[in-house]
Every structure is written in C-alpha cells, then in structure tokens.
Amino acid sequence: MSEKIIELSDNLDTRTFYGVNNQNILCLKNMHPQVRVVARGYTVKMSGSDEEMQRFEDDMRKAERFCIEHNMLSEEIILDLIKGAEPQVFKHDNLILHGVNGKSILARTNNQQKLLRDYEKNDLLFAIGPAGSGKTYVAIALAVRALKNKEVRKIILSRPAVEAGEKLGFLPGDMKEKIDPYLQPLYDALEDMIPQAKLQEYMEKGVIQIAPLAFMRGRTLSDAVVILDEAQNTTVPQIKMFLTRLGMGSKMIITGDLTQIDLPHSQRSGLIDACNVLREIPGISFIHFSEKDIVRHPLVERIVKAYGKGE
C-alpha cells in the first residue's frame, strides 16, 4: 500500500468543492472505496494501490476543473463527470465566466460583446457610456476570468474619490472608512463572481487590490488587469499618471460616463482629454455604450433618456 499527497489549485473555492457536510468529497470517496482519503484545505492525502490512487486523482481533478470554471459542484455533476457525460450546465453565447452559485456572467448587448472582443486584441480599452450599461461589470468579469485562467497574477481596481455633492472630509471614520463607499460598486461586482471566502483571501494576499486613484502614483502595474472606474472624475494630470502605470503583461480598462462629471467647472475631465489625445493610437480601443445597453431596471433607461433630452 502506497501513500500520496496532492495539492488542489489555489484558484479553487474549497467550500464549494467539498460541498455541504463534505458531501462532494464523500461522493468521490464512495466511487473509489479501495482508496483511503483525508482532505483538509488544499491538501489531499491518499493511501491505497498506485492504480486505484491514480484513478481517484483523475476523477478528483475532473471535479476540480469543473468547480474552478463554473463555481459550482454537486454529487450529480461528479457522477456525470466520472461517467464521461456532459454535466447539465447551461451554455450561453458570449459567456464570460460562471459566477457565484454557477451564475452565468454574460456580455448581453452589442457593445458589451464588442468590449469582450476588443479585450482580446488590445491592451488599453476605454468603455464610455451611461449608468447601468454594464461597462464596469463586464470589465471586472473579464479581469476575474483572466485571473482564474492564470493569464495575470492580480487584479487592480481603482476609482477617483470625488464627491458627488457631499464633502469627503466631513464623512465619519478613518481614511479607509471615508473611501470605501466610493469603492462599494466594485466590491458588489466581485461578490457576484467570486465566493466570499475566496474573495477575502484574494484581498488579504493582495491578489485583488481596490484602492483610490491617489494610491496608484509611483507604481508600475505588471501582470495584471487594471481597471479605472468613474474616469470622468479624473483630472488631466491624474489620468495621464494612471495610464502611464501600465506595465508588461497587463491590460487596462478605463470606464466612465461623460454625463456624470462631478469635477469643479474650472477643471477639465481627464477622460474627455484622453479620448481626444489617444483616439488615433494603435492598440487602444474605444467602446461607446448607449441607452440601448442599459441592463438595469427598465426605468433606468427611461431616466437616462429623459435627462439626455433635457441636456
């Protein structure tokens, strides 16, 4: 009888993989009764004949790959995988990734799909359009997919901390507590795509970093997907500083809504300036979203249209 220790992928959410009351790992054990298995965290220890242990490992790896890709696993799925059958998971065109509980994260509209296509061909992308058009959500989904596929080592998300009517200095708490409300939409999107325990682990290890724009100065952002949200509220020097942080092996996505600029009237939006200065440079893509791309409540599209007419 031999022993073997194997390590699971660090991209795996072990709670989802093992299942409630360890039902998934128990299912795998029951399919291989000749193998003794002790699993804890990312480490699996086996004992048995070499042949039986190899069969167990092959089947476990199938379940592991499925769980990483789809963020879900069940006894029924495991049985299908072991039998060589295709698990009954809905397939969609323009699928970006499977989020928490197997939720399909899709590029739903023409411009969302253009962002998906242009991401493959360009290292710098500008996604510009109204609230609710999905530009930031799709950008974050692309970043999470790249991280899961090990195309990059980290995700860096940033926003300018510019007040929309309220003064930052008068908000309660320390600097982190003052800034976190500005970054909450980024947390919300990530929570749709990465299980909570795994997301917390990524953030503690710095694999996913969320920080205000001022924290980017002096850094070179390599092997990462870097997203700047609400870029209409950057000044010209700020966006120039941010764009020049782009390092080797990285992609950068800039999102913004030119109808929601909160800068003082005396300051020019860095996003407007960048669109004018960089428009003809190869390797940079501009995707302009419209009211037709809005995928929130139907009233949001009507609200955007109404304000558009007023302006």
Side-chain angles (χ1 to χ4, degrees):
M1 182 176 286
S2 303
E3 286 191 352
K4 186 176 183 181
I5 295 175
I6 58 176
E7 295 293 329
L8 299 170
S9 168
D10 57 7
N11 283 330
L12 183 70
D13 178 58
T14 53
R15 291 197 303 179
T16 303
F17 179 72
Y18 290 134
V20 178
N21 297 323
N22 293 320
Q23 62 184 17
N24 294 336
I25 197 70
L26 288 172
C27 176
L28 281 164
K29 286 181 181 180
N30 292 336
M31 297 295 288
H32 300 273
Q34 303 304 315
V35 181
R36 186 171 181 272
V37 180
V38 177
R40 178 171 297 174
Y42 292 93
T43 301
V44 179
K45 183 177 180 180
M46 301 179 291
S47 58
S49 70
D50 291 340
E51 186 178 351
E52 287 290 340
M53 286 194 298
Q54 189 59 54
R55 279 202 286 264
F56 175 84
E57 182 178 356
D58 290 345
D59 288 340
M60 188 182 68
R61 292 299 189 189
K62 291 176 187 176
E64 177 190 35
R65 288 192 295 270
F66 184 94
C67 189
I68 291 171
E69 181 180 355
H70 299 285
N71 270 331
M72 63 188 301
L73 194 64
S74 67
E75 294 174 78
E76 293 79 9
I77 290 171
I78 291 170
L79 293 173
D80 282 340
L81 290 170
I82 291 175
K83 293 173 185 175
E86 181 72 20
Q88 296 301 305
V89 176
F90 293 108
K91 301 292 183 183
H92 298 278
D93 292 335
N94 303 309
L95 175 70
I96 304 173
L97 78 158
H98 289 280
V100 175
N101 298 322
K103 176 184 177 182
S104 296
I105 310 295
L106 307 170
R108 297 179 179 275
T109 69
N110 289 337
N111 283 314
Q112 289 180 12
Q113 290 159 22
K114 185 176 189 303
L115 178 56
L116 184 61
R117 293 191 302 270
D118 286 8
Y119 175 86
E120 304 300 329
K121 300 179 287 185
N122 299 277
D123 289 340
L124 176 58
L125 302 98
F126 287 81
I128 302 163
S133 55
K135 54 192 184 295
T136 301
Y137 195 79
V138 171
I140 292 176
L142 289 168
V144 172
R145 185 182 70 177
L147 183 66
K148 285 189 171 187
N149 292 343
K150 298 190 175 180
E151 297 165 10
V152 296
R153 292 189 296 108
K154 55 183 178 277
I155 297 171
I156 299 169
L157 309 174
S158 187
R159 266 188 163 199
V162 174
E163 307 93 330
E166 59 273 355
K167 293 294 182 184
L168 190 64
F170 289 99
L171 294 175
D174 59 21
M175 182 54 69
K176 182 181 184 301
E177 291 169 328
K178 291 175 188 289
I179 289 170
D180 266 357
Y182 291 92
L183 307 176
Q184 190 59 47
L186 307 180
Y187 290 110
D188 292 343
L190 287 168
E191 287 170 356
D192 268 3
M193 302 172 198
I194 303 174
Q196 185 62 45
K198 192 66 183 177
L199 177 58
Q200 185 174 351
E201 178 189 332
Y202 278 151
M203 297 188 73
E204 287 173 354
K205 291 182 176 179
V207 175
I208 295 178
Q209 303 171 23
I210 304 180
L213 180 60
F215 286 36
M216 297 296 111
R217 187 173 298 279
R219 300 182 63 184
T220 299
L221 308 175
S222 302
D223 298 314
V225 178
V226 187
I227 297 172
L228 175 61
D229 191 32
E230 300 288 348
Q232 75 276 2
N233 287 328
T234 61
T235 63
V236 173
Q238 283 176 334
I239 202 164
K240 180 182 176 183
M241 176 274 292
F242 187 84
L243 293 173
T244 54
R245 301 305 96 200
L246 184 63
M248 298 300 293
S250 290
K251 287 182 179 278
M252 187 175 278
I253 306 175
I254 313 298
T255 70
D257 178 358
L258 296 178
T259 68
Q260 294 189 354
I261 298 173
D262 298 314
L263 293 169
H265 292 299
S266 59
Q267 288 187 311
R268 179 171 170 79
S269 167
L271 181 58
I272 293 175
D273 191 75
C275 289
N276 294 329
V277 171
L278 305 177
R279 184 162 299 282
E280 303 301 326
I281 295 181
I284 301 178
S285 173
F286 291 85
I287 302 97
H288 291 275
F289 290 74
S290 70
E291 295 89 349
K292 293 179 181 178
D293 297 296
I294 291 175
V295 290
R296 290 183 185 169
H297 193 287
L299 272 176
V300 176
E301 181 178 355
R302 297 176 205 161
I303 291 167
V304 170
K305 284 183 176 177
Y307 276 97
K309 287 178 183 177
E311 292 167 1

